[in-house]
Amino acid sequence: MATLPDDFFTIATFGTLLGSVTLTTIVTGALHKFAGWSPAKTGLIVSFAVITAGLFLTEKLADPKADIVGFFNAFLVYLSAAGVSDAAGGNFRGDGRPFFRSWFH
């Protein structure tokens, strides 16, 4: 049987696409839900912050090649997180603001 890791997010998982998309989706959803910020704009800013934090934690922030790849990865993370939120949100027609909703509506 596989053992469970001690930490849910580590530096290694933080740098993966799944880890970055998960963080971006959750943080953007929380900022939309509790502060009312536009998820389309906030999600892009959060995705850049997540990628920058990943580069910092892996000590590659000063590497120009890693910065260029990170720049383009931020868009990949953003679009993946937007797709996840759209798929998880469905067609919500309630009075309240759902946690997951389409970022482009």
Side-chain angles (χ1 to χ4, degrees):
M1 181 183 329
T3 60
L4 294 174
D6 293 333
D7 299 321
F8 185 69
F9 274 103
T10 63
I11 293 175
T13 58
F14 193 87
T16 64
L17 179 62
L18 179 61
S20 297
V21 168
T22 302
L23 283 172
T24 300
T25 304
I26 291 172
V27 170
T28 303
L31 288 173
H32 168 69
K33 177 90 172 158
F34 299 113
W37 295 358
S38 167
K41 296 174 186 171
T42 306
L44 187 59
I45 294 168
V46 170
S47 68
F48 274 103
V50 166
I51 293 298
T52 303
L55 289 171
F56 175 76
L57 290 173
T58 57
E59 299 176 359
K60 293 184 179 182
L61 194 56
D63 181 11
K65 291 179 183 177
D67 292 340
I68 291 170
V69 171
F71 175 78
F72 290 110
N73 279 343
F75 291 106
L76 176 65
V77 168
Y78 169 71
L79 292 173
S80 298
V84 166
S85 68
D86 189 49
N91 290 329
F92 183 83
R93 299 278 187 236
D95 293 331
R97 292 186 303 193
F99 188 79
F100 290 110
R101 64 178 291 276
S102 176
W103 290 8
F104 302 113
H105 289 177

